[in-house]
């Protein structure tokens, strides 16, 4: 194993800091505790980078506390994020650019989270391979309680030190770990954890959890991990029970993490394994119901009958939502669901257009333009029921929406697994 003794010099160049700045700018993100946004930093870019470089050279640089914010999780709980200042994000990014090529090539092959060139689709495909080709259908589904918030600082540094012994680099990492948190106007020490939201936190968590991955490999357990979502694949119930015991011991005793006993369980692929938004079965992959509900809520927000704007505007806002949804969930066997969804989406768009026309006479005029012969019924233009009427379908056929540029979600090939390497 190669150990790197002298890396700090790679930080000490404007070019390295500028590259890190460009990556931070691309990711955007909110301002930290100093209130300085990416835009503010950009206005005095040369001056800011030179000042940062000088502080790093003279070893006067000090990481500032992160700003605490909370976001809602799907299960109704809150996820705590820590937002570093822009200048701290740039230094973290520069540090990550140096460290990633040293650590990433040696990570476990079934680790997929926060790694360049690896994706959720690959993780799902690898899990599917273990279940369907290797018949490992007894699966330990492990959930860690607030993984980022409970990483042990001394263990992080110990694991980093296996490949990097440069004291200045280790000191920078310690600074980021110990920088503290601002909750409103109150300062709080950060004695454990690496704030979720920090640029370097994903890399540090992978370095930390790779200890678990490698030990499970040494014990010949098949796993797939995406960040703190862990699946262990076994051929029998007793094998799964043993794997759960071994994994819990490693995570809780060796790595000082907390396994969420309420969410951790042993499942069988015949009843489905929930993972990254899908349910992997012995012969199929389907979308999780809550993901479908969340998608429909988003579609409803963009297709409100009151105040949605003209149809072209609605489609411009709606299409990225449709494209993002189907391009993620196309890995599942959802062709029938997409057809049903598309029928429902078109009905919502018909309801929007009827509302925009306001009066039945405008609908009738449209029908005449399409060579339909009157008389036509007078229907309620603001009724959901009317959006399914024959007149609405004649006036706005499926072909019309395609010509308007509506993304055709029912034409995508589904159920195709990704390459998991």
């Amino acid at each position: 194993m190669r150990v790197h003794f002298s890396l700090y010099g790679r930080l000490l160049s404007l070019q390295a800091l500028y590259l890190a700045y460009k990556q931070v700018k691309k990711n955007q993100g909110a301002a930290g505790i100093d209130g300085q946004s990416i835009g503010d930093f950009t206005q005095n870019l040369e001056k800011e980078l030179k000042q940062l470089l000088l502080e790093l050279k003279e070893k006067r640089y000090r990481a500032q506390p992160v700003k605490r914010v909370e976001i809602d999780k799907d299960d109704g709980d809150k996820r705590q994020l820590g937002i570093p200042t822009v200048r701290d994000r740039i230094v973290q990014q520069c540090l990550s650019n140096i460290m990633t090529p040293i650590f990433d090539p040696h990570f476990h092959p079934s680790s997929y989270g926060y790694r360049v060139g690896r994706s959720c689709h690959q993780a799902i495909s690898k899990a599917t391979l273990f279940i369907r080709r290797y018949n490992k259908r007894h699966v330990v589904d492990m959930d860690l309680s607030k993984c980022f918030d409970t990483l042990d600082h001394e263990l992080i540094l110990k694991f980093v030190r296996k490949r990097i012994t440069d004291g200045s680099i280790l000191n920078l990492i310690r600074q980021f770990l110990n920088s503290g948190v601002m909750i409103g106007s109150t300062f709080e020490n950060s004695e454990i954890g690496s704030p979720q939201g920090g640029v370097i936190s994903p890399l540090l968590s992978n370095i930390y959890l790779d200890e678990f991955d490698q030990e499970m490999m040494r014990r010949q357990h098949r796993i797939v991990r995406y960040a703190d979502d862990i699946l262990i694949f076994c051929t029998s119930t007793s094998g799964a029970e043993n794997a759960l015991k071994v994994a819990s011991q490693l995570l809780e005793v060796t790595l000082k993490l907390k396994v969420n006993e309420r969410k951790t369980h042993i499942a069988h692929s015949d009843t489905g394994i929930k993972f990254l938004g899908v349910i992997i079965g012995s012969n199929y992959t389907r979308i999780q119901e809550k993901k479908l509900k969340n998608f429909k809520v988003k579609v409803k927000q963009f297709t409100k009958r009151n105040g949605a704007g003209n149809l072209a505007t609605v489609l411009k806002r709606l299409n990225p939502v449709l494209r993002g949804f189907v391009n993620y969930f196309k890995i599942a066997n959802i062709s029938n669901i997409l057809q049903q969804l598309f029928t429902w989406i078109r009905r919502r768009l018909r309801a929007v257009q009827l509302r925009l026309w306001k009066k039945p006479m405008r609908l009738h005029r449209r029908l005449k333009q399409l060579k339909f012969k009157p008389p036509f019924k007078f229907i309620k233009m603001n009724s959901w029921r009317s959006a399914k009427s024959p007149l609405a379908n004649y006036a706005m056929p499926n072909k019309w929406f395609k010509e308007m540029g509506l993304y055709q979600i029912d034409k995508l090939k589904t159920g195709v697994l990704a390459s998991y390497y």
Side-chain angles (χ1 to χ4, degrees):
M1 181 189 295
R2 184 182 176 190
V3 178
H4 297 259
F5 300 96
S6 182
L7 293 172
Y8 192 71
R10 295 189 194 177
L11 282 169
L12 306 181
S13 78
L14 275 177
Q15 185 178 1
L17 290 174
Y18 180 68
L19 174 62
Y21 154 76
K22 287 202 296 183
Q23 291 170 284
V24 169
K25 184 182 179 185
K26 184 179 178 181
N27 293 330
Q28 289 300 313
I33 61 165
D34 60 357
Q36 185 184 46
S37 67
I38 292 286
D40 297 334
F41 192 93
T42 302
Q43 285 182 354
N44 299 294
L45 181 59
E46 187 177 357
K47 180 182 176 183
E48 293 278 9
L49 290 181
K50 284 183 176 178
Q51 177 62 34
L52 205 49
L53 179 61
L54 183 63
E55 290 178 25
L56 288 166
K57 280 182 176 178
E58 297 179 352
K59 305 224 174 147
R60 292 187 292 108
Y61 169 81
R62 294 294 178 268
Q64 293 180 271
V66 299
K67 180 180 178 181
R68 169 66 53 79
V69 296
E70 292 184 340
I71 60 172
D72 294 327
K73 294 171 68 175
D74 286 345
D75 59 6
D77 202 357
K78 298 284 186 181
R79 176 177 282 114
Q80 294 183 338
L81 297 183
I83 303 175
T85 62
V86 173
R87 65 200 312 271
D88 286 345
R89 296 210 292 272
I90 290 170
V91 176
Q92 286 190 29
Q93 184 64 64
C94 200
L95 196 54
S96 180
N97 290 347
I98 293 168
M99 292 174 62
T100 297
I102 294 170
F103 285 93
D104 191 87
H106 305 283
F107 285 152
H108 191 288
S110 288
S111 166
Y112 290 95
Y114 310 125
R115 297 181 64 186
V116 176
R118 289 177 168 247
S119 67
C120 293
H121 280 185
Q122 291 175 319
I124 293 167
S125 298
K126 188 70 165 287
T128 305
L129 173 86
F130 286 146
I131 289 170
R132 297 180 193 167
R133 189 180 298 177
Y134 297 152
N135 290 316
K136 293 184 175 292
R137 300 187 174 189
H138 298 265
V139 182
V140 181
D141 184 350
M142 302 201 74
D143 185 86
L144 297 177
S145 297
K146 299 181 178 179
C147 177
F148 276 88
D149 299 331
T150 55
L151 300 177
D152 183 273
H153 289 179
E154 293 309 315
L155 285 179
I156 290 175
L157 292 167
K158 176 185 174 182
F159 300 149
V160 170
R161 210 175 281 118
K162 286 184 178 182
R163 293 188 181 275
I164 295 175
T165 58
D166 186 322
S168 297
I169 293 289
L170 293 168
N171 180 57
L172 269 183
I173 294 171
R174 190 182 288 278
Q175 274 199 54
F176 290 126
L177 294 174
N178 295 336
S179 62
V181 178
M182 290 298 294
I183 306 170
S185 58
T186 305
F187 174 80
E188 189 176 281
N189 284 320
S190 50
E191 296 176 357
I192 60 170
S194 181
Q196 191 166 358
V199 175
I200 202 168
S201 293
L203 175 60
L204 294 180
S205 71
N206 269 336
I207 292 171
Y208 198 97
L209 286 171
D210 190 60
E211 295 293 317
F212 166 80
D213 300 343
Q214 299 295 346
E215 183 58 30
M216 292 299 282
M217 180 187 279
R218 280 191 286 272
R219 294 173 183 243
Q220 298 185 325
H221 289 292
R222 298 279 195 173
I223 70 166
V224 171
R225 183 174 66 80
Y226 191 96
D228 57 355
D229 286 337
I230 302 168
L231 298 181
I232 310 169
F233 301 86
C234 306
T235 54
S236 66
T237 303
S238 59
E241 289 170 351
N242 176 63
L244 175 56
K245 185 178 178 180
V246 168
S248 297
Q249 176 84 2
L250 283 170
L251 291 166
E252 295 197 320
V253 178
T254 306
L255 296 179
K256 302 181 182 181
L257 299 172
K258 177 64 178 172
V259 174
N260 187 331
E261 293 181 4
R262 184 173 62 86
K263 293 183 178 179
T264 296
H265 63 283
I266 296 171
H268 194 281
S269 58
D270 283 351
T271 56
I273 310 299
K274 292 184 177 180
F275 188 53
L276 300 177
V278 301
I279 300 174
I280 306 170
S282 299
N283 302 298
Y284 63 87
T285 304
R286 55 191 170 89
I287 185 173
Q288 289 182 21
E289 192 62 36
K290 67 179 180 181
K291 299 298 182 183
L292 198 55
K293 286 181 179 178
N294 290 344
F295 170 69
K296 293 183 83 169
V297 167
K298 280 187 180 179
V299 171
K300 285 180 179 179
Q301 290 173 348
F302 286 103
T303 55
K304 291 179 180 178
R305 279 173 280 167
N306 51 344
N310 64 43
L311 203 60
T313 302
V314 172
L315 294 183
K316 187 176 180 180
R317 295 170 181 163
L318 179 63
N319 276 340
V321 176
L322 302 184
R323 191 176 289 110
F325 175 81
V326 297
N327 282 328
Y328 183 86
F329 287 106
K330 68 184 179 184
I331 196 168
N333 306 106
I334 56 168
S335 57
N336 289 338
I337 287 176
L338 290 183
Q339 288 175 9
Q340 294 167 14
L341 276 175
F342 209 30
T343 298
W344 172 75
I345 290 166
R346 286 190 297 255
R347 183 178 177 184
R348 290 198 64 83
L349 292 172
R350 289 185 182 105
V352 169
Q353 186 59 59
L354 287 177
R355 176 87 178 195
L356 289 169
W357 277 334
K358 294 181 181 178
K359 297 180 181 179
M361 293 305 297
R362 296 185 69 180
L363 169 64
H364 297 171
R365 188 185 312 154
R366 164 73 177 163
L367 290 167
K368 289 174 185 176
Q369 289 170 351
L370 294 173
K371 309 301 182 184
F372 289 98
K373 294 183 179 180
F376 305 117
K377 286 184 179 180
F378 280 74
I379 62 174
K380 291 182 180 179
M381 301 297 278
N382 60 353
S383 164
W384 172 242
R385 185 177 179 181
S386 295
K388 198 180 180 182
S389 69
L391 291 184
N393 280 271
Y394 295 153
M396 295 170 278
N398 295 351
K399 181 182 175 183
W400 184 64
F401 288 113
K402 184 178 180 180
E403 291 169 351
M404 288 282 290
L406 175 63
Y407 186 71
Q408 304 292 293
I409 68 173
D410 61 339
K411 302 302 181 187
L412 224 65
K413 191 174 182 180
T414 62
V416 180
L417 299 179
S419 170
Y420 43 81
Y421 294 108

